[in-house]
Every structure is written in C-alpha cells, then in structure tokens.
Amino acid sequence: MTFVNIISAIGNNSSVYPLIVRDCGIEVPTKIALTYNQNKKESKEIAYLAARERFLDEYATSAVWLGGIPLVGWACNKFIKKKGFNPNVNLKLFKEEAGVQGIDYNIKKFAKSAPDAVKDLLKAKQNKKLYEKLLAGKFIASTSIPILFMGFILPKMVFASSAKKIEQQRKKEQQISNMNFVQKDKFISFTGGSWIPKIANFSAQDKMAVTDGGYAIGRVVTARNKNETYDIAFKMAGMMFLNFVAPHWIEKGLNKLTGVELDPVILADKNFASQIKENTLKLPKSSNAKDLLEFIDNVKNKDTLFMKYAKKFGKITMLDNGVRDPRAYVDIKNLAKFRNDLESFAEKAKRGGEKLFKKARAAKSANILTNIALSSFLLAYALPKAQFAFRKFITGSDLEPGLAPVKKDV
C-alpha cells in the first residue's frame, strides 16, 4: 500500500482505520501511562492495579470493536441467507422514490440486466415482514451482544481480577500490620447493576453509535461506587463525542479552510490530471438524481473516473457484470456532493495546472494527519487530564474511585 493510500484510509472517518490508529496506536498506550502516573501520586499499588485494569479493559474492548462486531454481523448474514434471503437488499428501497429508485422501480428497471439480484428483491418484497424481522434481529444481535460483553461482562471480569489482586495485597498488608500492631483500611467491595436493553427503530447507520452508547451505559451501571459512576460517565461521554463527532467537525473545518474536499488518492491519479487538461473528464450532467443515475446506469460510462471512485469510496455498488446493484440504496445527496466536488476541483485545476494538484494533495494529506493528531491528542491526553481534574473535584483524590480504599465515617 502506497503512502497516499495509507493517508486515504486513515482519513476516511466512516471506516475503522482512523479508530485503529487513534485507539490502539495512540490513545490506549497514552491513557495507560497517564492512569499510572495519576494514581502513583497517592499509591503505587493502586497505580499498578489501575494501569492493569486500563490495559485489559481498553485492548479487550478494541478487540470486540474490530473483530467481534464484524463476526456477529457475518454470522447473522449466514443465518439470513439460510432463510433464503439476501441481506444486501436495502430496506430503504421499500420507500419508493418516484422515477429514481425503489423496490418496484428497481425490479422493473433491472429485470433483464440483473435477473439474479431482482430475484432477491422479489423474495424480500413477497416476504417483507419476515425479511424486516430478520434484519431487525441482525441489528439487535450485532449491537446487543457487543454491548453485553463490553458494557457488562468485561468490566465484571476486570473488577473480579482486580479484587483478587486487592485481596492478595490486603493480606500482605495485614500480615505486616499484625507484626507491627497497625490496622489498615479496608478496600471497597463490588456492587452490581441491572440492565434492560431496548433497541428498536434504528437504522444500520446508527449501529456504531448505538453500540458505543450501550457500552457506555453498561460501564456506568456496573461501576463499583457512586464516585466511579460519575468518573466513568464523564469519560464515556467525552469518548463518544471525540470518537464519533469531533473528527467529522475537524474534517469539515480543515476542508473548508484549505478548500480541498477530494481524497488524496484521486488527487494523485495522473489520469484525473490528464483528463482535466485534455477536457475529457466525464461527469453526470448535473447533481440531479435522475442525471446521476442515468450516468451510472449507462454502460458506456462504466470505465469513467467518476464510476471508478464512486465505487471505490462506497457511494455506489456495482455487480460483476457492470450493472448497478438494484438491491443497494443510492445516497443521492452523498453522490451529488462527490460529483460537485470533482467538477469544482476540475474547474480550479484548469486555471491552476499541475501546481494545484501538488498543493491540493499536500493540503489534503496534511488535513488528514492533522485530524488524526488533534483527535488523538484530545482523546489520549486532553480527555484523561480533564477526567482526572473532574475526579479530583468530585472525590478529592487522584486515585481511581473503584480502587480507592473506603473512607470510614467517623
């Protein structure tokens, strides 16, 4: 993979790559170090346990995010296929968009050019209620199972592991105290929580946010005491914002600042540059839905640069025979923006020439790296520091609330 492709991958805020870089590569190691140093101010023993908890918790959670969720989705798709349905049929097609797309419209339009895909549409249409239930079940399974593990099972496992370490440490301290006739404070006991999951009427696009929200609720519910509840709630709210909202805001801000929207992979494509120079770049006539789909469905346009990158960045789905997949829903607004971004840059490039390509590619790459660096800094350093300050304000201590010794009432 070339440098440009790497930059492109980590700059796609709709994919897992930025999360991998921020989460596993930067955020988690930094948080572990910060957690140890924060707790070390009062107790090296608690600092070790806190860092150990953070290591187990963060990397186990990352494993579920990156492997567990796709695995559950894959298993659900296998089950749906055994029931005779193709899970690629998008439920949004059941709402007809006159003259543009919809299940009836697509069945008629692609009856000859994509007969196998049309069979899938017919099967879903004829058994709509069952198919909807199957997709709803997939959604519930692919969100509730990870939520259950990350939000409830994992923290209990980590807490139990820490409890054993705490008990071992307490026994050692008790032996020393017996020898020196000194009494030590007892450590906190663990309390549980209850959870009644209710997930309904959410689209597939909400899946990641729902899973993260449920995971956050689970962590708050399973907190070991009131102070830890406040501490975790503050952290999880910050994490959700910085993981799923802030990177998009930063991206929009940087793109607006530099005036560059296109991906660096496109900007590095020599064919793109030559087509602009030779005035041979083919684009849909307008950003109108009809013009966009007419262009895509015209077999003469299958090898155009527009089609190449619309497919690459998931804006359209095509079958092996070059026909648009009638089972897939086309986000017209997203596709129209892509078309307009290409046209806008092409007009600028006619005046700016090769220098503009180099400048734009460098600017977009810098935007992506800046976004990763800034969002990683906010997640890995700024949020933990804010959490520690919040903890100190609430509890009066630097120690992890779930591991700190219980203060007895006098």
Side-chain angles (χ1 to χ4, degrees):
M1 182 179 280
T2 65
F3 176 73
V4 170
N5 285 323
I6 293 172
I7 294 295
S8 173
I10 64 174
N12 183 2
N13 284 309
S14 297
S15 73
V16 298
Y17 296 113
L19 287 174
I20 293 174
V21 174
R22 290 198 303 262
D23 191 46
C24 299
I26 301 173
E27 180 188 349
V28 175
T30 305
K31 282 183 175 179
I32 292 170
L34 288 174
T35 297
Y36 180 82
N37 290 333
Q38 183 71 13
N39 286 272
K40 187 175 66 173
K41 296 175 183 178
E42 294 189 33
S43 169
K44 286 186 177 181
E45 290 77 14
I46 296 295
Y48 163 74
L49 289 172
R52 179 177 177 275
E53 277 196 354
R54 180 58 64 91
F55 176 86
L56 294 173
D57 183 25
E58 296 285 356
Y59 278 114
T61 298
S62 296
V64 174
W65 266 115
L66 301 175
I69 293 176
L71 181 62
V72 174
W74 174 83
C76 290
N77 283 343
K78 293 284 285 185
F79 179 78
I80 292 172
K81 287 177 181 178
K82 283 187 176 181
K83 292 293 182 179
F85 295 94
N86 190 316
N88 292 327
V89 176
N90 196 307
L91 283 176
K92 286 185 178 181
L93 293 173
F94 282 99
K95 185 178 181 180
E96 297 285 334
E97 297 176 16
V100 178
Q101 61 184 332
I103 196 158
D104 289 327
Y105 180 86
N106 285 9
I107 287 172
K108 292 178 182 178
K109 181 178 177 65
F110 296 96
K112 293 181 179 179
S113 58
D116 290 336
V118 167
K119 287 179 183 178
D120 293 332
L121 290 175
L122 287 167
K123 178 76 173 180
K125 180 186 176 182
Q126 293 164 359
N127 301 274
K128 182 183 176 183
K129 289 185 178 180
L130 175 58
Y131 183 63
E132 286 179 336
K133 287 180 181 179
L134 288 171
L135 285 191
K138 174 186 174 181
F139 173 74
I140 292 171
S142 59
T143 54
S144 61
I145 292 174
I147 286 171
L148 181 63
F149 180 79
M150 294 189 297
F152 297 87
I153 297 174
L154 178 60
K156 289 294 186 181
M157 290 172 63
V158 173
F159 294 165
S161 177
S162 291
K164 289 181 181 179
K165 294 288 184 181
I166 290 172
E167 186 62 28
Q168 291 172 1
Q169 180 64 28
R170 189 168 65 178
K171 286 180 179 179
K172 289 181 181 179
E173 291 176 349
Q174 188 64 42
Q175 290 174 355
I176 294 173
S177 68
N178 288 339
M179 293 174 63
N180 296 290
F181 305 100
V182 178
Q183 289 294 323
K184 299 286 183 182
D185 287 332
K186 291 183 179 180
F187 283 86
I188 189 168
S189 60
F190 295 92
T191 60
S194 61
W195 175 48
I196 303 176
K198 289 185 178 180
I199 302 174
N201 300 321
F202 284 98
S203 66
Q205 288 84 349
D206 298 321
K207 179 179 172 183
M208 185 176 287
V210 169
T211 304
D212 206 51
Y215 154 54
I217 292 171
R219 290 307 173 89
V220 171
V221 170
T222 56
R224 288 165 284 193
N225 56 49
K226 188 178 289 186
N227 285 338
E228 188 174 47
T229 297
Y230 299 144
D231 192 61
I232 290 174
F234 183 91
K235 180 184 78 171
M236 295 307 297
M239 284 178 62
M240 288 185 67
F241 175 77
L242 293 176
N243 261 322
F244 300 107
V245 180
H248 292 281
W249 286 7
I250 295 170
E251 180 184 19
K252 286 182 180 179
L254 292 172
N255 288 350
K256 189 173 182 180
L257 184 66
T258 59
V260 183
E261 294 282 347
L262 296 179
D263 190 277
V265 168
I266 301 175
L267 296 170
D269 191 328
K270 293 181 179 179
N271 288 329
F272 183 40
S274 64
Q275 286 179 25
I276 292 175
K277 185 177 181 181
E278 297 166 7
N279 201 30
T280 57
L281 179 65
K282 291 187 68 175
L283 296 174
K285 287 188 295 184
S286 74
S287 57
N288 178 277
K290 186 177 179 181
D291 288 337
L292 288 169
L293 295 185
E294 279 185 0
F295 184 92
I296 292 169
D297 294 336
N298 188 336
V299 68
K300 294 179 181 179
N301 298 323
K302 67 177 183 178
D303 295 323
T304 60
L305 187 138
F306 178 83
M307 293 291 289
K308 174 183 176 181
Y309 288 111
K311 288 187 290 183
K312 178 178 175 62
F313 295 112
K315 301 180 188 303
I316 56 173
T317 305
M318 307 296 289
L319 299 174
D320 292 338
N321 64 357
V323 175
R324 175 164 60 92
D325 190 342
R327 298 165 300 193
Y329 178 82
V330 180
D331 186 333
I332 298 296
K333 185 177 179 180
N334 191 304
L335 187 63
K337 182 182 183 304
F338 177 63
R339 180 254 176 219
N340 291 341
D341 288 342
L342 285 171
E343 183 182 60
S344 176
F345 184 83
E347 290 174 355
K348 292 178 183 177
K350 288 175 182 177
R351 301 187 298 270
E354 183 62 27
K355 288 184 179 180
L356 179 64
F357 272 90
K358 291 181 180 179
K359 186 177 179 181
R361 190 164 63 246
K364 186 63 177 182
S365 298
N367 284 357
I368 291 170
L369 294 175
T370 299
N371 195 344
I372 288 291
L374 182 55
S375 55
S376 296
F377 170 79
L378 292 173
L379 273 165
Y381 186 82
L383 178 59
K385 285 294 185 180
Q387 181 188 356
F388 297 155
F390 177 77
R391 177 189 301 167
K392 184 79 172 181
F393 175 76
I394 294 294
T395 70
S397 170
D398 290 311
L399 297 177
E400 293 285 323
L403 294 169
V406 172
K407 292 182 180 180
K408 292 183 178 181
D409 295 329
V410 179

